Each structure stands twice: as structure tokens, then as C-alpha cells.
Amino acid sequence: MSSKLQLTTLAVLVSAALPAQAALYKVVEVTNTGGVTGAEYYGTAIQPSVAGVNCFDSGASSATCEGYKLAGETRNRPDGFSYREEVPFAMDNSFGYIEDDYDGFEDYCFYQLGYATCEYWASDRWSSWYNETYSSNTPNSLAFIEGSAEKPSGAINTVINSLDPNGKPVGNFSTSSKRNEAFSAVTNSSLTSKAQSRAWASDGTYTVGSTSSKSGIGGERYYYSSAPAIWSGSDFVSIPRAGGYEVDGDYFAQGSMRDFYIDSAGGKTYGVGYNNYSDQHMNATIFIGNSATPTSATWRSALIYNAQVDISGDNINSNSVATNINKNLVVVGQAKRSGGFPQNGAASNRLFIVPDASTSSINASFFYGGIFFDGAGGEMGGINNFNEIVGRIDSENHREYDGKQRRQRAFIYPYGVTPKVTVPAEVTAINDRKAIFKNKAWLLDDLTNGGSESSNNNQYRIYDASDINDAGVISATAVKCSGGYDSTSHNAYCGDGNKDETVVAVKLVPIAGADAAAIQPRSYDSTATERKGAGLGFGALTILGLFGFMRKRIK
């Protein structure tokens, strides 16, 4: 009997002997896209939950918990460069790489990613960029919220960055004359006069994002600057640059606000994102407004140290960004290791946390320990008010420089109590939720294994977790093997490597009453797991590092 068959049989026998509630999450595939169709589907945001709802509670309503809507997008091909970012590859503020067309894409990969497969990497993305810039501009990213398509008037490619408290989309779209135009429920006439705008987050009254000086389309596709912005229906504020000039030689200043929290008790507003500093460096930043009315505040930028580009005179990172902040003033983000300073064989996109945005000394601490090995790269997804962090992280640790991209998988990290959590009931609630995860971070695939949901869940391997609400529901993207993988292991085949896998948008819904005793980590098959390309689409082939265009570096 083969070792693979033995492991499969053992997994079935063990699963049958376990309680019906085993596993922490049920995987719910989202297929109601409002008529939007594409080759692949990605989950990008989850509807914020109602206060007091905890889907891990034994009495939690499955209808309520599964009812939180997911926002998603399609892809028929990789982005040329991200439809979200202010500049190419989130770091090319000289536009040098993108100006060189195919050669620039290959140079970016060679100098800033270091893969041995740069010709393939560049060709894939260059063909998309050519289509978007010189050719038919066939739509690639079509957005939806469960049950409805989201296509603003005149939109070509549309992305949803978040959902506001009312479940309304917040994002941006391209038109024939603008590369990016913001959309959210909070509209402001000032935005229409801007050459470009992007919206990242909204509380229903205020929205944050960025605005740019040129459109990025046609003859103006290069050489534009951007600045962080916040607006309401009647007021618009552009945040000042932290240093440098709008234009400095070949470099153009950039900035963006990605999330915010209004601290009414403290009379301040905190925003997070990145700003432009000396030498045109794009550094992770906490924006601090001296009023709980953001558009009336005076704003200053606080650099997040240890994540900045220039460390002790060397450009250790190519850029960095703070992506999210919660009511506990916990900030999370990512810093892209420069191609000239790889760490443990990779110029990775490292994930960090700042436990208290109000402290006088703001320093990033990079994730380390457990699933976060030294030099692990990933992408930040989000954080809720229980200080539960989701995203994706390298699940392999081989050398990427002069090698291949590492496989990545989604994770959850229950960080626990932080300095601003002082109310006893909130301390208890956060500790109780952390205990469900045995007080440590996990690959989400380990939390979808076993029990009555095992057969359904075994159809999916969770690649990315993009958002999490306070009820514990997660928006995610998975690779699917219809009918189930050959075993429940992390590296199982799909139909012995010959069956098609697809990329699908999913919600991870907590199973009511599940606790730490339900966790059954997946094993690893001992057989070789080189997949046969005939069974994979473009996204499944590159899902090991798809969205690699989000990885950030400097030439």
C-alpha cells in the first residue's frame, strides 16, 4: 500500500472518530456574484458585524454568521501592476520600471524579487499592462458584493478595498480617461476635479484615501504625484507631505491614507498609511489629527521606525505602509525588504505591528515565531477589535533569490491584549477569543480540518485572508479541488495531480461552540507534490505567489 493511500485512509478513520464540531471554521464558497463572471474570484472584504455578535458562541445563529456579505473581484489575468496602488509595484515613484515596458517588468523582477523565473513573471504581467495601456483595455477586475455587481458608471476595472459599516463598497475604478477614481457612499465634489483618486476605508461619514496630480492614462500615464486625503460630504483635506518635494529629480512624491479611527474620548483622529519623506522615500506612517472632527484637524505625520526605507544609512527596505488600525489603536502593516538587502534568501514583504499608535515612540515589531519564521514574507489582510490579525504568509522557507517563489497560505494571529485595552470586560473577551486559538497564530488550513465540515472543507486550501470582522467571519481566497483533495494534508494532490483546480472567493465562518479542542492540524504527505501543469489555470499556477505584483522593492 502506498504511503499516500495509508495517510488518506488514516485521515478518514481519524475524522470519523472525532466530534461533529471539530474544526473552527466552515468554508462557505461565494458564488452569488450578481452576474459578474471571470476565470477566478477573490475575496477582498467582509461586511462589518453587529456589535455584540460572536460567531464562536455556542448560541450563535448560523444564518446571521453566514449572512455577512463578502466583497470580491474577478481576474482573467494578473494585473499589469496593482489596480490599487498609487505607483507601479507600490514603490516605483520614478516610474522608471514601468516606462521601460517589458524590459522594465523584467528588471523589476530581477533586481527587486530575484526569482529565477523572471521571464515568465514579466511576460505574464507585461501582457496585461500592454492590454490596459495600448490595446483594447478589456475589463479584468470586475467587483461584486454577494448578490450584486458593483460597476460605477464608465468603469473598466473596479476594486473594492473595504466595506463601510452599512455594507457599502469603498474602492476605486479606472475609466478611459483616469487610471483611478475613488468611489464610496461618501461623495465629495472636490474629488471630481482631481486627476486621480483612491478610496481605502470609510465609517459612513468620512472616507480616506489619496488623490493624484495626473491621470496615469495615455500620455499622462507617467510622472504624477499623490497625497494622503480624508473627506466628508462637504469637506476635503489633503495631508501635507512629511518631507521632500513634490518633484525631486526623477522622483515624484507619494502618499496614501489606508485606514483611520476617530478617538472621540481623546479628541484625536488617527490615520495610517504612508507618506513621502526625505529622498522621496515612501515610509509607513501614523497620521495624527488634533481633533475628533477629521476635516477640521491639524495633521502631523509620525514615522513608524524600524520599518522605514533608510536604516542606518542603507536602504534596507524599498518602502513600507501601515494598512489598518482598530479602536484599540493597534496598527498593522508591511515593509518590503529591498532587493539589495535580502534576508534569509528572500527580499520579502515582512509584516509588522505597532501595539499603541498614541505612544510617543512609534516602532514596528515584525512578526516572528511559530508560523512566522525569520525572513518570512506575506501580505497584511486586516485586524478586528479583538486584535485578531489575518493575512497571508510564506508557508515554505526555501531560498527565493535565484530560485522560485515560496508557496503562501492564509493565517490568523490572535495578538491578545494591548496597552489601550483596559476595560476588564474587554480584556476578558480578547483573552477568551485568543484561547480558542490556543493563544498562537495558525495557518487557516489547520483550522478548517476535521469533523462534520471536513468533507466540504477539504475541497479548499485557503490562500489569502483579506479581512475579518468582530464576529470572527473572514473574507478569503482559496484554491479549490471540486469534490475534495486526495487527502486532508496541506500538500495533497487534486485528482493525483491531473484534476483542475480553480481560484474561488470564500468566507470562513466560525462554527458555533467550537473551541481549542476542535483544532486538528493538517499533516503533510510524504510523497512528492510537484503538481502537473495541465490541471492548473493561470492563477492556480501562480497562487504560490499570485498578487506578487503587490510585493515592493527599489532598484
Side-chain angles (χ1 to χ4, degrees):
M1 184 181 290
S2 73
S3 60
K4 184 164 70 175
L5 182 56
Q6 287 176 330
L7 285 167
T8 304
T9 303
L10 179 61
V12 171
L13 292 173
V14 170
S15 177
L18 289 167
Q21 278 195 340
L24 290 187
Y25 294 98
K26 176 182 180 180
V27 182
V28 178
E29 184 178 347
V30 175
T31 58
N32 187 3
T33 63
V36 168
T37 59
E40 301 179 346
Y41 300 85
Y42 297 83
T44 61
I46 197 71
Q47 182 181 0
S49 55
V50 178
V53 176
N54 180 356
C55 291
F56 284 107
D57 285 346
S58 58
S61 165
S62 60
T64 297
C65 294
E66 292 186 27
Y68 290 112
K69 292 187 176 182
L70 174 142
E73 300 161 11
T74 66
R75 291 293 189 278
N76 292 305
R77 58 183 184 274
D79 301 12
F81 71 85
S82 173
Y83 303 127
R84 292 177 161 80
E85 297 291 348
E86 278 76 17
V87 293
F89 314 121
M91 52 71 63
D92 184 17
N93 57 341
S94 71
F95 299 88
Y97 287 120
I98 206 73
E99 187 177 26
D100 288 342
D101 294 330
Y102 172 82
D103 290 342
F105 278 82
E106 189 172 20
D107 283 348
Y108 170 78
C109 181
F110 180 80
Y111 288 108
Q112 310 309 333
L113 302 178
Y115 304 146
T117 55
C118 282
E119 288 186 7
Y120 167 77
W121 188 97
S123 178
D124 229 19
R125 285 153 183 80
W126 157 246
S127 61
S128 284
W129 172 244
Y130 183 90
N131 177 73
E132 294 159 13
T133 309
Y134 303 110
S135 189
S136 62
N137 206 1
T138 305
N140 184 33
S141 181
L142 303 179
F144 62 90
I145 301 174
E146 283 186 75
S148 64
E150 296 295 331
K151 186 178 181 182
S153 177
I156 299 172
N157 291 309
T158 306
V159 296
I160 296 176
N161 294 317
S162 63
L163 295 175
D164 73 16
N166 298 312
K168 301 297 183 182
V170 182
N172 51 271
F173 62 95
S174 63
T175 68
S176 59
S177 61
K178 290 186 178 183
R179 177 168 175 82
N180 283 288
E181 188 163 338
F183 75 99
S184 72
V186 180
T187 59
N188 186 293
S189 59
S190 296
L191 292 175
T192 59
S193 66
K194 305 295 183 180
Q196 289 193 76
S197 58
R198 296 164 179 81
W200 283 88
S202 179
D203 65 359
T205 301
Y206 299 97
T207 297
V208 297
S210 67
T211 59
S212 300
S213 60
K214 288 186 178 181
S215 72
I217 293 292
E220 297 200 334
R221 62 198 177 99
Y222 306 132
Y223 315 135
Y224 53 82
S225 63
S226 62
I230 184 167
W231 60 89
S232 65
S234 56
D235 296 298
F236 175 89
V237 174
S238 182
I239 309 298
R241 294 182 181 87
Y245 306 92
E246 181 176 5
V247 182
D248 185 5
D250 294 332
Y251 294 89
F252 293 76
Q254 308 294 332
S256 178
M257 192 181 295
R258 301 295 176 86
D259 198 7
F260 71 109
Y261 176 72
I262 298 174
D263 180 10
S264 298
K268 292 183 178 180
T269 302
Y270 294 88
V272 297
Y274 71 89
N275 208 343
N276 182 78
Y277 291 79
S278 60
D279 294 327
Q280 301 299 85
H281 291 158
M282 298 157 58
N283 288 328
T285 296
I286 296 174
F287 304 100
I288 303 170
N290 64 355
S291 171
T293 304
T295 52
S296 299
T298 298
W299 289 87
R300 66 181 179 90
S301 295
L303 175 70
I304 298 178
Y305 287 94
N306 203 32
Q308 74 270 29
V309 171
D310 188 329
I311 299 177
S312 300
D314 290 317
N315 288 353
I316 300 298
N317 297 308
S318 67
N319 76 320
S320 58
V321 59
T323 57
N324 304 90
I325 185 171
N326 67 7
K327 74 172 188 177
N328 306 319
L329 302 187
V330 180
V331 175
V332 293
Q334 54 203 32
K336 177 64 181 67
R337 195 85 177 182
S338 173
F341 292 88
Q343 181 181 11
N344 285 346
S348 54
N349 199 41
R350 298 178 298 159
L351 309 183
F352 68 76
I353 186 168
V354 177
D356 182 2
S358 68
T359 188
S360 58
S361 179
I362 299 174
N363 292 281
S365 296
F366 290 97
F367 291 2
Y368 184 72
I371 64 172
F372 305 112
F373 59 86
D374 189 25
E379 194 78 21
M380 188 61 71
I383 183 171
N384 65 12
N385 290 317
F386 286 89
N387 292 343
E388 294 164 345
I389 305 164
V390 297
R392 72 175 185 270
I393 196 71
D394 288 342
S395 59
E396 299 174 326
N397 62 1
H398 61 255
R399 183 180 179 85
E400 284 193 325
Y401 246 75
D402 299 321
K404 64 180 181 179
Q405 292 173 264
R406 294 168 177 165
R407 189 186 307 270
Q408 295 187 333
R409 286 293 183 260
F411 73 87
I412 185 167
Y413 183 8
Y415 190 79
V417 174
T418 49
K420 288 297 182 182
V421 182
T422 57
V423 177
E426 294 182 354
V427 171
T428 298
I430 289 175
N431 283 331
D432 286 349
R433 285 274 282 259
K434 186 177 181 182
I436 293 172
F437 302 96
K438 297 185 179 181
N439 303 308
K440 65 179 184 178
W442 291 89
L443 296 180
L444 281 163
D445 280 337
D446 283 324
L447 308 182
T448 63
N449 186 35
S452 61
E453 293 298 335
S454 186
S455 178
N456 171 68
N457 287 356
N458 192 43
Q459 297 182 100
Y460 306 94
R461 294 296 181 267
I462 313 303
Y463 165 67
D464 185 38
S466 56
D467 194 12
I468 181 170
N469 65 20
D470 289 345
V473 183
I474 299 169
S475 60
T477 302
V479 181
K480 181 182 181 182
C481 177
S482 184
Y485 284 90
D486 293 357
S487 77
T488 61
S489 68
H490 279 286
N491 56 343
Y493 282 106
C494 178
D496 202 30
N498 294 309
K499 192 175 177 181
D500 285 345
E501 294 172 281
T502 55
V503 178
V504 297
V506 298
K507 292 184 287 191
L508 302 185
V509 181
I511 296 172
D515 59 19
I519 297 176
Q520 298 179 56
R522 295 184 186 274
S523 62
Y524 286 87
D525 283 344
S526 58
T527 53
T529 56
E530 286 298 321
R531 298 175 185 269
K532 299 176 176 63
L536 301 173
F538 85 81
L541 276 168
T542 55
I543 203 74
L544 315 181
L546 190 63
F547 291 133
F549 52 77
M550 292 182 180
R551 295 180 153 217
K552 308 160 182 132
R553 288 190 177 159
I554 231 166
K555 187 171 181 178

